[in-house]
Amino acid sequence: MSTAESHEARIAREEAHWTGPRLFGFGFAFLGACITLIYVLSCL
C-alpha cells in the first residue's frame, strides 16, 4: 500500500467517524466550555 492510499484510507475513516451530529455536539460542548471559562475569569 502506498502512502497516498494509506492517507486516503485514514481520511475515509475520519470522515465516517466525524458525522454531523457528532461535530455539532463537540462544537456545542466547546462553545459551552469557552463561555464558562470567560464567565469564571470575569468573576475573578
Side-chain angles (χ1 to χ4, degrees), residues 1-13:
M1 177 181 278
S2 70
T3 56
E5 290 175 357
S6 65
H7 288 304
E8 289 175 2
R10 181 183 55 82
I11 290 170
R13 284 194 311 270

Side-chain angles (χ1 to χ4, degrees), residues 3-4 6-8 13-14 17 21 24 35-36 39 43:
T3 56
S6 65
H7 288 304
E8 289 175 2
R13 284 194 311 270
E14 289 182 5
H17 181 74
F24 179 77
I35 291 171
T36 303
Y39 177 75
C43 289

Side-chain angles (χ1 to χ4, degrees), residues 24-42:
F24 179 77
F26 180 74
F28 194 70
F30 183 75
L31 179 63
C34 289
I35 291 171
T36 303
L37 179 65
I38 291 169
Y39 177 75
V40 168
L41 290 176
S42 68

